[in-house]
Amino acid sequence: MKTLVNDKDDASLKSQANGGFSDGEIVAEEAGKLDMPYLSKSVPVFIDVLNIIPEDVARGNQMIAFERKDNLVKVGIVDPQNINALNVLRFISEKTQLKFEVYLIPLKIFQEIVAQYAGGTEKAIEEAVDSLKEDKDDDASGANLLMDNGGGRTDSNVQSAPVTKLLSVIIRHAIDGKASDIHIEPINKEYRVRFRVDGLLYASLSVPKEVGKAVVSRIKILANLKIDEKRKPQDGRFNIVESGHSVDFRVSTLPIMDGEKLVLRILDRDSKLASLENMGITGPGADVLIKNINEPFGIILITGPTGSGKSTTLYSCLEVLNKEDRNIITLEDPVEYSMVGVNQSQINPEIGYTFASGLRSILRQDPNIIMVGEIRDNETAELTIHAALTGHLVLSTLHTNSSIGAIPRLVDMSIEAFLLASSLRVVAAQRLVRKICEKCKHEIKVSAAIREYILKEIEGVSNEDKARYGVDFNAEIKLFEGSGCEECGKSGYKGRTAIFEALEIDTNIKEIITEHNGNEQAIKDYTEKKGMITIKQDGMLKAITGKTTFSEVERVTEGSRSVGGDVDEA
């Protein structure tokens, strides 16, 4: 543990007199005098990290654990000359074998972080456990059942205040941590809660199984799902207002071996749509997309796995197309963003309102532009082709690994090759990669093996296209990474950007589709000859220009992660 005590320093005397520093600029100045790091802003902290120092101890000594990596824990302290606080840290270090690195923090930042105990997540769990025990005792005497509006019976434990409070804590942590999804899943004798942040899952906390079941049931009630149906998947949604923002949650349940798993997709209604450029869709691929979305008819397809930003790209395209003289109608499952001037309709399979039936109705609504959330089956695919051939521009998504792979996929759906060739305009594919934090970005050493690997990957890219990315290949290839700072939560990454490829269906590809029934290898050979920039090449060029890391591109594109050694140690 770092010992940061200097009895002679004037700054420390001022610190003792005032009970710590409250102003951020003063903290930075005093941290420099004391030769210790400082925390300049509040950060979201997982509960298991907070609980390294118990809440009462943290409040009593004005110190807080805010980050852990292996056995190293970073602790913010308001008064670095608080001998009692330093002794407590030494005691915890000896007891847990953890090492502490002490940071100076303003009193205001300490108060913001300590509030993340949220009345104590640990306390909320304990209260939920106690509540369930009480309900069990009461249920034994038949005294504690609530009647629902339908005359059925609902266990009070799923409605209890402690369970609701615990769910509120979980949701608040997810929103504060800018998570896109919350996973609640049973594992042996407990439920694990994980958050997906910038595409990666992080464990947040674990709760006893009975508490987890009560939380799951509470979410199902909020989402208007059947709480007694645990044998088949269900889908629903609910809305809350958090800190003045309206936030939607899309809920999906799945029966698994140990119980029932829930995933909540977080959709912030107030978040603004990013432009195509801000999403990272730039270069020749963006030119192809923008050129074709301004055509009067045809199909624009965006492909990629779940969570790759396909729907967001379609929304960004609609933002470009959204003019008063155009009738734009969407079919979605569910509606994720509200767009003024666009007629958005949500499908409901339970009453027979599917993509296919909805598309039939849309065609009678005199549309100019149609967005179909996803092509899932042969019927939807056929109706989409029909809409495009009768003078409509149709935008949709498809789950395939590459743009080229979408064509044989549609042929497998029994779509006639000549109809496909006549209707398709662009098939694009995308992935999301994490962006390097601009505050802590620095250049790293590039090994000869990695340099050779990158040059081989992008050898088919023309000099003109390379210049558009701002890459000077007369100079030595440079790669970058983030060292980790307060701004990015010590991860080295902040936010995500798209890597993208766009296959334009020109005359030659139409002939391949018609004559070779959409043969994937024939299309691939042609695109290589033509010089289409692939999704991996786009990623490599963005890594060279410092937007993302080489290892991140390899991870997302399923490339080799150990080219000439571990890429992270290049």
Side-chain angles (χ1 to χ4, degrees), residues 96-110:
T96 62
Q97 302 302 306
L98 294 172
K99 295 181 180 178
F100 293 101
E101 183 177 359
V102 181
Y103 281 62
L104 187 62
I105 61 171
L107 181 60
K108 182 182 176 184
I109 301 302
F110 165 78

Side-chain angles (χ1 to χ4, degrees), residues 305-356:
T306 300
S308 59
K310 301 185 298 296
S311 296
T312 306
T313 299
L314 288 186
Y315 279 116
S316 298
C317 290
L318 290 183
E319 193 78 10
V320 174
L321 296 168
N322 190 8
K323 309 290 182 189
E324 196 171 302
D325 60 348
R326 292 168 177 163
N327 180 19
I328 303 175
I329 306 178
T330 73
L331 269 178
E332 304 175 58
D333 182 24
V335 174
E336 296 190 11
Y337 297 96
S338 179
M339 297 186 69
V340 177
V342 175
N343 304 288
Q344 296 174 269
S345 182
Q346 182 167 317
I347 69 165
N348 187 350
E350 290 184 5
I351 60 172
Y353 185 41
T354 62
F355 281 122

Side-chain angles (χ1 to χ4, degrees), residues 282-284 451 454-455 458-459 461-480 533 536-548:
T282 55
R451 184 179 294 105
I454 292 172
L455 289 172
I458 60 176
E459 64 183 354
V461 180
S462 69
N463 289 331
E464 182 183 351
D465 287 338
K466 289 173 184 173
R468 291 196 60 185
Y469 282 87
V471 176
D472 180 7
F473 279 86
N474 293 321
E476 189 177 346
I477 287 178
K478 295 179 180 179
L479 292 177
F480 304 84
I533 294 180
K536 189 163 187 177
Q537 288 172 336
D538 186 54
M540 290 294 177
L541 290 164
K542 285 173 178 171
I544 294 168
T545 52
K547 292 182 175 64
T548 187

Side-chain angles (χ1 to χ4, degrees), residues 41 60 70 186 191 219 246-248 311 329 377 387 410 430 455 492 497 530 561 566:
K41 59 183 284 189
D70 299 325
Y191 266 74
I219 292 170
S246 180
V247 183
D248 278 346
S311 296
I329 306 178
D377 51 49
L410 289 167
Q430 73 177 60
L455 289 172
T497 189
K530 188 182 176 183
R561 299 200 69 198
D566 190 335

